[in-house]
Amino acid sequence: MADNLLNKNKGKRNLLERKEEVKPQQSFNRSSLFTVNESQQANEDTKKDTPRKKEKGKTTTIRCAADTSHRLNAIVTSFNLDSVNELIEILLDNYEASLTTDERREIKTLLEVYQRKSKK
C-alpha cells in the first residue's frame, strides 16, 4: 500500500517542473533607486540646524487604547514628526487656542497644581 502512494507522487513531480526560464519585465539597479537630489539635501541640512524639539523633561506613561496608539503612530509617520510627544504638543496647542479665556485660565491653574504635586 505504501508503495502505491510513493508511485503516485512520482508522476506528479514531472508536472511541477518549469519548462522555460522566467525573466522580469523590467530590471532596476541600485544607483537609480537610491539617488539624492543635492538641492533637497541642502534644504534638509538647514532644517537640521534649527532645533524643533523643546526642552526634554521627565517622561511618563499614558494609557490609551491600542487603536488610539496606532492612529497616533500613523499620523507621526505620515507627517514626518519626530515623536508622538511632538504630535500631542501640536494637538494640545491647537485645542487650547480654541478655548475661551476663562477655560484657558482654569487649565493654567490646574496645570500649576499638577506641577506642584509632581515636585513633591
Side-chain angles (χ1 to χ4, degrees):
M1 185 172 177
D3 293 333
N4 290 339
L5 293 174
L6 291 174
N7 290 335
K8 287 181 183 179
N9 289 337
K10 284 183 181 178
K12 290 182 181 179
R13 287 185 186 165
N14 293 337
L15 297 175
L16 297 176
E17 293 179 13
R18 292 188 183 235
K19 296 185 179 175
E20 62 184 54
E21 187 178 334
V22 178
K23 294 182 181 178
Q25 293 177 353
Q26 292 180 328
S27 62
F28 298 96
N29 60 15
R30 189 175 183 95
S31 62
S32 69
L33 291 176
F34 298 105
T35 58
V36 176
N37 189 352
E38 291 179 8
S39 63
Q40 287 178 347
Q41 188 175 11
N43 290 339
E44 289 176 5
D45 289 340
T46 57
K47 288 180 184 177
K48 289 180 184 177
D49 293 340
T50 58
R52 286 174 46 180
K53 293 183 180 180
K54 290 185 178 180
E55 188 176 307
K56 278 192 174 182
K58 290 182 180 179
T59 60
T60 183
T61 302
I62 299 175
R63 294 178 187 248
C64 65
D67 291 341
T68 305
S69 173
H70 296 315
R71 286 174 62 194
L72 289 169
N73 287 324
I75 293 171
V76 166
T77 303
S78 63
F79 289 107
N80 235 3
L81 299 174
D82 290 335
S83 64
V84 174
N85 190 53
E86 184 179 357
L87 172 63
I88 293 173
E89 289 282 333
I90 293 168
L91 294 173
L92 289 173
D93 289 344
N94 289 338
Y95 180 75
E96 288 174 355
S98 70
L99 298 176
T100 65
T101 55
D102 291 337
E103 290 170 332
R104 282 190 217 151
R105 189 178 313 120
E106 183 179 350
I107 288 177
K108 184 178 177 183
T109 304
L110 287 171
L111 185 59
E112 290 172 357
V113 169
Y114 289 132
Q115 287 173 344
R116 272 190 249 136
K117 275 186 174 182
S118 67
K119 286 183 182 179
K120 290 182 180 181

